[in-house]
């Protein structure tokens, strides 16, 4: 990841105010947020979800993520 690009994106994001966003962008963001929440809620009880949760929450997975994070620094 190009850190200059990432830094610029973070800076822009932090400086952007709600009032700066066009109404059409706000409307789409609201719809996408509701869609994401709906899918997450509906899928939270699907067969196999707890298996994925257990895998992601395992100490082994956490150690791998930390290792990758440290390697990327």
């Amino acid at each position: 990841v190009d850190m200059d690009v990432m830094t610029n994106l973070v800076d822009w994001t932090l400086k952007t105010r709600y009032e700066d966003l066009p109404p059409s962008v706000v409307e789409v963001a609201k719809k996408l947020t509701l869609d994401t929440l709906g899918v997450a809620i509906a899928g939270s009880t699907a067969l196999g979800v707890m298996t994925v949760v257990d895998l992601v929450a395992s100490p082994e997975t956490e150690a791998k993520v930390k290792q990758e994070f440290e390697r990327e620094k």
Side-chain angles (χ1 to χ4, degrees):
V1 174
D2 184 344
M3 291 309 289
D4 289 337
V5 171
M6 186 64 69
T7 300
N8 288 339
L9 178 61
V10 169
D11 288 344
W12 177 82
T13 302
L14 291 174
K15 292 175 184 173
T16 301
R17 299 172 309 143
Y18 181 83
E19 296 81 21
D20 297 332
L21 302 173
S24 60
V25 171
V26 173
E27 187 65 29
V28 170
K30 287 179 180 180
K31 288 180 181 177
L32 291 174
T33 300
L34 285 175
D35 180 66
T36 300
L37 290 173
V39 169
I41 291 167
S44 66
T45 58
L47 184 64
V49 168
M50 287 313 299
T51 303
V52 174
V53 170
D54 290 343
L55 174 66
V56 171
S58 75
E60 294 85 9
T61 303
E62 182 178 351
K64 287 179 184 177
V65 169
K66 285 181 180 178
Q67 182 182 15
E68 284 299 313
F69 180 74
E70 289 300 319
R71 192 170 65 106
E72 292 293 324
K73 282 186 175 180

